[in-house]
Amino acid sequence: MTKILVVDDESSIVTLLQFNIEKAGFDVVTAEDGRMGYELALTEKPDLIVLDLMLPEMDGIEVCKQLRQDKVETPILMLTAKDDELDKIIGLELGADDYLTKPFSPREVVARIKAILRRSAGKSADVELEVAPKEKALHVGDLKILTESYEVYLQDELLDLTPKEFELLLYLANHRGKVFSRDQLLDAVWNYDYIGETRIVDVHVSHLRDKIEADTKKPQYIKTIRGFGYKMENVRS
């Protein structure tokens, strides 16, 4: 059974989330401080972590940062009581896959969990795999994107991409030469309403450039179209 780790210091929220997540068919383990949450993430090996930002002992940002430094790639859904864009962006930059601002509905939490798990398993129908049936890989310049094993190579070196970075790269690669606005990319890759949250796209593009571009100030693959958005160039090897 898929295991979800819920880390929140409010007992009422933990109880509410545990009930609804278990009702959706998942196994749930819980922690009420960041230190315990971090330790359970290592020992229980959950499939996804629901992580509150404001925690005693060790806050959610630090938990997320430490897990990523430990090479733990478990998807993280971050919860925050602050409607503060900076906190959200910091969480995403440290490796969180998604976030929700309190108050939220348990139904929305379960929906986000399911969406993240589909993406991380590579089974999401949200990303268009517009590749010929016999084609196993997409080639863009020195990039090789394996659409079945969900791996990306740059000059034969395997890149360490998060599920969301992979999806964004694959979507752009499948539509080389086409310009997308940030809102279009949010709708196509994230697949739920992020009106006004286009900074998420910028963060993920920045992360991708750090990993695939020789010079991030003069990107070869993902170009910024001033005043509109981004496009993937049809780079030749």
Side-chain angles (χ1 to χ4, degrees):
M1 184 180 292
T2 302
K3 184 185 296 183
I4 309 298
L5 169 61
V6 174
V7 189
D8 197 299
D9 62 333
E10 295 183 56
S11 298
S12 59
I13 290 180
V14 171
T15 300
L16 181 66
L17 289 178
Q18 183 171 8
F19 173 80
N20 284 274
I21 295 171
E22 288 180 342
K23 186 178 179 182
F26 300 106
D27 187 21
V28 177
V29 291
T30 66
E32 295 192 4
D33 68 67
R35 180 69 60 185
M36 181 182 295
Y38 169 71
E39 292 173 356
L40 287 176
L42 297 179
T43 58
E44 292 288 333
K45 301 187 185 304
D47 298 284
L48 182 141
I49 302 169
V50 179
L51 180 65
D52 189 28
L53 180 67
M54 302 300 291
L55 293 167
E57 302 295 333
M58 192 175 179
D59 66 31
I61 293 292
E62 185 61 29
V63 173
C64 183
K65 179 180 178 181
Q66 190 60 55
L67 288 173
R68 294 311 187 229
Q69 287 179 348
D70 293 342
K71 305 300 182 184
V72 176
E73 298 300 328
T74 306
I76 295 174
L77 171 59
M78 188 164 282
L79 306 178
T80 173
K82 297 180 178 180
D83 190 16
D84 182 38
E85 183 180 7
L86 180 61
D87 287 321
K88 300 169 185 175
I89 296 305
I90 290 174
L92 291 168
E93 288 180 339
L94 289 173
D97 295 81
D98 201 354
Y99 67 85
L100 273 174
T101 302
K102 297 178 181 178
F104 47 75
S105 71
R107 180 179 298 179
E108 184 175 11
V109 174
V110 171
R112 295 287 182 94
I113 287 172
K114 290 180 177 179
I116 295 170
L117 289 173
R118 285 199 306 270
R119 293 196 301 266
S120 64
K123 297 178 181 178
S124 175
D126 303 340
V127 178
E128 299 177 35
L129 302 179
E130 297 177 1
V131 187
K134 293 182 179 179
E135 187 175 5
K136 300 297 183 182
L138 284 175
H139 295 271
V140 184
D142 292 326
L143 284 173
K144 180 171 67 174
I145 305 170
L146 302 181
T147 61
E148 293 184 355
S149 60
Y150 304 94
E151 295 177 337
V152 178
Y153 291 83
L154 178 62
Q155 295 181 337
D156 296 322
E157 179 180 349
L158 179 62
L159 301 181
D160 182 19
L161 302 187
T162 67
K164 186 55 61 186
E165 289 166 359
F166 177 86
E167 288 187 15
L168 179 58
L169 179 65
L170 179 59
Y171 189 82
L172 290 170
N174 273 324
H175 300 85
R176 293 186 292 281
K178 183 174 180 179
V179 180
F180 291 97
S181 70
R182 292 167 176 82
D183 284 324
Q184 286 174 322
L185 290 172
L186 282 173
D187 184 60
V189 179
W190 277 259
N191 199 35
Y192 33 70
D193 195 1
Y194 270 92
I195 293 175
E197 301 292 350
T198 54
R199 176 72 173 127
I200 295 172
V201 176
D202 297 331
V203 168
H204 283 79
V205 168
S206 177
H207 287 178
L208 278 174
R209 284 175 171 165
D210 287 340
K211 296 174 182 180
I212 69 175
E213 301 285 2
D215 184 352
T216 57
K217 294 182 179 179
K218 297 179 179 179
Q220 179 184 16
Y221 292 99
I222 303 177
K223 294 293 183 68
T224 300
I225 308 303
R226 188 177 298 276
F228 194 75
Y230 299 101
K231 75 171 180 176
M232 170 75 81
E233 291 284 22
N234 194 15
V235 180
R236 297 184 181 275
S237 300

